Amino acid sequence: AHKHVNAEALAYVMSGQARLVTGDEEYIVGPETFAYSPPGEVHQWTNLSATEPVMIVGIYGGINKIEDVQTIFAEKDA
């Protein structure tokens, strides 16, 4: 689980199937699906297949350069 302090996150699932938990919501997403997480919202992707990879294109909005995203990963036991 992680969050992007200064950037909104848009993801496009190209292939595979995943579970996305973002904020208090949970979604099952597959190919040709877009997903959105606003700045600062904790989200986590989980591949639902043990054999098929999930391919996702990630896009950050609201920033001028990638260094501004400020991704923070959750503590293991948090």
Side-chain angles (χ1 to χ4, degrees), residues 60 63-71:
Y60 299 120
I63 58 167
N64 292 319
K65 56 187 185 278
I66 194 68
E67 294 82 9
D68 294 340
V69 172
Q70 293 189 6
T71 299

Side-chain angles (χ1 to χ4, degrees), residues 7-64:
E8 55 192 354
L10 179 65
Y12 178 72
V13 181
M14 295 178 60
S15 65
Q17 191 171 37
R19 174 182 296 110
L20 170 62
V21 177
T22 183
D24 295 330
E25 302 291 325
E26 182 176 319
Y27 304 95
I28 303 300
V29 293
E32 301 181 8
T33 301
F34 281 98
Y36 173 81
S37 296
E41 185 168 87
V42 175
H43 53 283
Q44 181 172 357
W45 292 90
T46 304
N47 186 347
L48 294 178
S49 173
T51 59
E52 181 181 359
V54 175
M55 294 180 59
I56 299 170
V57 174
I59 303 163
Y60 299 120
I63 58 167
N64 292 319

